[in-house]
Amino acid sequence: MEQPKPPKKKNTGLQNAAKLSGVGIQMGLTIYLGNLLGSWLDHKFETNYLEITVTLLAIFLSMYSMIRQVNDINK
């Protein structure tokens, strides 16, 4: 006979804040590194569009990551 699972304990606001405290740093670092990579690629391949393209990709990637983390906490 299976034992019933205990109900999940709800996270308090302080626990949620602690889990999300690094999101801003993570987003900023992802965008900054994407910008550096794009700038390096522009210089390497002598173009002028890779910096903005890679930076925008890093912005979308960091937003996706943030939304996933928030959704995981709210489950």
Side-chain angles (χ1 to χ4, degrees), residues 60-71:
F60 291 127
L61 181 66
S62 65
M63 289 296 294
Y64 174 76
S65 174
M66 181 193 64
I67 291 169
R68 252 185 96 192
Q69 288 176 5
V70 170
N71 282 338

Side-chain angles (χ1 to χ4, degrees), residues 22-33 58-59 61-67:
V23 170
I25 295 170
Q26 179 184 354
M27 285 182 68
L29 191 61
T30 302
I31 294 167
Y32 176 71
L33 291 176
I59 291 170
L61 181 66
S62 65
M63 289 296 294
Y64 174 76
S65 174
M66 181 193 64
I67 291 169

Side-chain angles (χ1 to χ4, degrees), residues 33-71:
L33 291 176
N35 185 274
L36 281 179
L37 176 64
S39 178
W40 179 78
L41 288 172
D42 268 347
H43 291 301
K44 182 168 177 68
F45 295 114
E46 297 177 0
T47 61
N48 60 359
Y49 60 88
L50 291 175
E51 181 177 4
I52 189 87
T53 304
V54 176
T55 302
L56 285 173
L57 185 63
I59 291 170
F60 291 127
L61 181 66
S62 65
M63 289 296 294
Y64 174 76
S65 174
M66 181 193 64
I67 291 169
R68 252 185 96 192
Q69 288 176 5
V70 170
N71 282 338

